[in-house]
């Protein structure tokens, strides 16, 4: 029974008119109307136990069929942060693309992880909405990542699917260009829903698949699992919350373990599907930003 952010018609803005929904047996319950948390931010201000209690209290309320709503990126006031080089495959790919190989090798083995600010709601695409590739980049990839949904008390209360769309040509030229390789309009994909932490049996063992289609044919397909991560989720959360608070909660992309071969780059019109077992599939078309 996951959480979602949704709208019931095409009226209103995709970015700020989303309601918090609780999906029970194929119905979407309007959390605010049913007496639950009004927005995602309010849900993430609660402890995990209080959120569970609040959702238990509304699960019998009336809802509308899931097919009748438009799912939006499941985010409101939170920042999206990201961890890098948490899988061996990511370390190897960065060392191949970069002129500064040792920074990736060193961070893979260091105690302190690589953490960077990735996006907010205004740069994030929900299910079915286009993700962007930069007009000034020549080598672009999707990065399929398990995303932690963390409350203000640093508890992991949910998981969603993320796409850390990245420019390999810009990051490869100089690691100091990382913010430009990572942050741009439509540069993050998120959704389709937030699976609640207490409903996921083994988050450290979730299969992740990526399928990129071009002209109706599969152009690349890859698989990994969160079991291949070189760090634990708790370790990443611990570092993220060092010396900073997230009053409305925060998202953390946990790094990619799937990187297409070096000759592959995303193109305008591609279709990206990322599946994490137990959470869902996030699908987005790709658009080259003008
Ligand atoms: O070091 C650059 C970013 C790495 C990254 O985003 C990842 O490993 O997923
Ligand atoms: Mg990444």
């Amino acid at each position: 029974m996951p959480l979602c952010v949704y709208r019931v018609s095409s009226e209103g803005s995709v970015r700020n008119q989303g309601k918090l929904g609780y999906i029970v047996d194929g119905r979407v319950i309007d959390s605010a109307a049913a007496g639950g948390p009004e927005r995602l931010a309010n849900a993430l201000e609660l402890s995990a136990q209080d959120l569970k209690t609040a959702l238990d209290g509304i699960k019998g309320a009336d809802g509308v069929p899931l097919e009748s709503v438009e799912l939006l990126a499941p985010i409101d006031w939170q920042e999206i942060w990201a961890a890098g080089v948490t899988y061996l495959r990511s370390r190897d790919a960065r060392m191949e693309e970069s002129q500064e190989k040792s920074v990736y090798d060193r961070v893979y083995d260091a105690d302190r992880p690589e953490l960077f600010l990735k996006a907010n709601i205004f740069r994030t695409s929900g299910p079915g909405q286009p993700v962007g590739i930069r007009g000034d980049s020549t080598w672009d990839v999707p990065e399929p990542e398990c995303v932690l949904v963390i409350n203000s008390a640093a508890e992991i209360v949910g998981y969603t699917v993320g796409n850390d769309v990245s420019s390999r040509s810009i990051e490869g030229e100089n690691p100091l260009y990382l913010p430009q390789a990572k942050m741009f309009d439509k540069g993050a994909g998120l959704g389709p829903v937030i699976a609640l932490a207490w409903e996921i049996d083994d988050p450290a063992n979730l299969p992740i698949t990526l399928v990129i289609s071009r002209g109706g044919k599969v152009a690349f397909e890859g698989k990994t699992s969160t079991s291949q991560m070189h760090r634990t989720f708790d370790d990443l959360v611990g570092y993220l919350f060092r010396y900073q608070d997230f009053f409305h909660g925060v998202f953390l992309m946990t790094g990619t373990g799937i990187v297409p071969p070096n000759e592959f780059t995303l193109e305008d019109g591609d279709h990206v599907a990322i599946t994490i077992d137990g959470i869902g599939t996030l699908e987005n078309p790709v658009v080259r930003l003008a």
Side-chain angles (χ1 to χ4, degrees), residues 94-257:
R94 314 289 153 188
M95 289 178 74
E96 283 161 25
E97 83 198 8
S98 184
Q99 324 245 358
E100 310 289 341
K101 302 184 188 313
S102 69
V103 293
Y104 298 100
D105 204 18
R106 280 178 18 232
V107 82
Y108 183 75
D109 285 321
D111 284 341
R112 185 188 293 274
E114 177 195 4
L115 295 174
F116 57 91
L117 184 61
K118 169 67 188 176
N120 60 15
I121 187 172
F122 300 108
R123 297 199 181 89
T124 301
S125 301
Q129 296 168 355
V131 289
I133 48 176
R134 295 177 63 120
D136 60 355
S137 169
T138 55
W139 189 13
D140 305 280
V141 285
E143 293 190 355
E145 306 195 11
C146 181
V147 183
L148 311 180
V149 185
I150 309 162
N151 68 15
S152 55
E155 296 173 293
I156 300 170
V157 295
Y159 302 91
T160 188
V161 181
N163 185 349
D164 171 22
V165 187
S166 301
S167 164
R168 294 188 72 182
S169 53
I170 294 175
E171 184 183 342
E173 193 177 333
N174 188 324
L176 293 180
Y177 294 154
L178 187 79
Q180 296 173 75
K182 295 289 189 179
M183 295 181 83
F184 42 88
D185 290 344
K186 303 180 173 57
L190 205 68
V193 295
I194 296 173
L196 292 161
W198 45 91
E199 294 174 3
I200 296 287
D201 285 341
D202 188 3
N205 198 8
L206 295 174
I208 303 176
T209 59
L210 165 67
V211 179
I212 306 171
S213 307
R214 183 169 296 161
K217 294 198 180 118
V218 173
F220 172 79
E221 195 167 7
K223 286 188 195 331
T224 189
S225 160
T226 54
S227 63
Q228 299 304 304
M229 270 183 75
H230 185 57
R231 297 179 186 271
T232 65
F233 290 160
D234 286 343
D235 177 49
L236 295 176
V237 173
Y239 272 97
L240 181 63
F241 276 73
R242 281 191 182 192
Y243 307 103
Q244 59 180 347
D245 286 317
F246 298 98
F247 298 111
H248 309 300
V250 62
F251 290 82
L252 178 60
M253 294 185 164
T254 56
T256 187

Side-chain angles (χ1 to χ4, degrees), residues 2-8 13-23 28-31 38-41 43-44 66 69-78 121 126-127 129 149 160 190-194 251:
L3 291 175
C4 66
V5 172
Y6 73 102
R7 60 178 178 169
V8 284
S13 153
V14 170
R15 303 279 172 222
N16 57 24
Q17 293 296 314
K19 298 172 175 221
L20 179 64
Y22 186 35
I23 305 177
V28 182
I29 296 167
D30 178 339
S31 176
E38 197 177 328
R39 309 183 54 109
L40 184 61
L44 298 181
L66 180 56
V69 309
E70 182 185 357
L71 293 179
L72 304 176
I75 180 173
D76 50 23
W77 303 341
Q78 301 74 32
I121 187 172
Q129 296 168 355
V149 185
T160 188
L190 205 68
V193 295
I194 296 173
F251 290 82

